[in-house]
Amino acid sequence: MQVYKIEDSQQQVGFEITSPMPMNKLRKVGDARVGFANVIIREYEVALGDNPSVSQGPPLSLGWSYNEMSPVDLEKYEEMRGIRRETYQMAVPVSARVAILVKEWGFSTEEVEQTSRQCQKVKKGRMNSARQVTSPIHIMVKNAKETVGNVICRRKDSQQDF
């Protein structure tokens, strides 16, 4: 892998790149420099999801539309953002998901219920498939197929030797 300095790329394309942040805030790694000055936050719309991994109820997804906030200095953002949450703290209860979808985003209760049923159906199908793959009968059939295949391959190999 070849690493280029910013000056090399400036000479190749014939223009000067100006950094939006002071050079003393850039972190030096070898000859390459990386720095972050601002954080731009986007607020995305909420959509009715299709991921069947929820325990029950409708899944939430991000939509395509978003509102972009004004850039915030990285240092200010770090001071304001608060404590990071644990994974378990980010789980949204079923009742809250339904309320978000119906009251805040205008989905009908019929749409929410239909999506919930569809997700449960997909989840049940995946569980059935997983059970079949690990069932004793499935394992016996798989082993028998492999044994027959190995015997046939050995016969072909031995016939080619003659």
Side-chain angles (χ1 to χ4, degrees):
M1 180 173 93
Q2 192 169 10
V3 177
Y4 294 98
K5 294 184 207 171
I6 199 165
E7 293 83 21
D8 296 336
S9 62
Q10 289 173 357
Q11 291 172 354
Q12 288 176 354
V13 292
F15 67 88
E16 184 179 339
I17 299 172
T18 58
S19 174
M21 64 184 307
M23 292 301 276
N24 64 351
K25 283 193 171 184
L26 292 174
R27 218 180 308 162
K28 190 172 182 180
V29 180
D31 286 341
R33 294 182 180 172
V34 177
F36 301 95
N38 295 318
V39 175
I40 299 175
I41 298 171
R42 289 181 173 179
E43 288 184 346
Y44 283 83
E45 69 179 353
V46 174
L48 190 53
D50 60 358
N51 187 342
S53 67
V54 294
S55 57
Q56 56 181 233
L60 298 176
S61 291
L62 294 179
W64 289 101
S65 299
Y66 62 87
N67 292 322
E68 195 168 283
M69 304 298 159
S70 300
V72 178
D73 179 67
L74 179 62
E75 300 297 327
K76 284 184 183 175
Y77 172 78
E78 288 294 329
E79 291 171 9
M80 294 181 340
R81 76 172 167 82
I83 301 169
R84 292 183 189 266
R85 294 183 292 168
E86 297 292 330
T87 304
Y88 73 91
Q89 294 173 316
M90 291 189 253
V92 181
V94 177
S95 58
R97 279 184 269 144
V98 171
I100 289 168
L101 290 166
V102 173
K103 294 178 183 171
E104 292 181 34
W105 290 96
F107 289 95
S108 70
T109 49
E110 176 59 34
E111 288 175 305
V112 171
E113 288 171 3
Q114 183 179 4
T115 301
S116 298
R117 285 191 300 271
Q118 190 174 2
C119 285
Q120 288 304 314
K121 186 176 179 181
V122 170
K123 190 174 187 174
K124 193 179 260 185
R126 288 181 180 182
M127 289 173 63
N128 288 337
S129 294
R131 270 192 230 109
Q132 288 176 358
V133 170
T134 59
S135 72
I137 292 173
H138 184 287
I139 293 170
M140 286 172 38
V141 169
K142 182 181 169 205
N143 290 342
K145 283 181 180 178
E146 287 175 1
T147 303
V148 170
N150 289 340
V151 169
I152 292 171
C153 286
R154 282 191 208 130
R155 283 189 185 161
K156 285 182 182 178
D157 290 343
S158 63
Q159 288 174 354
Q160 289 175 358
D161 290 343
F162 292 113

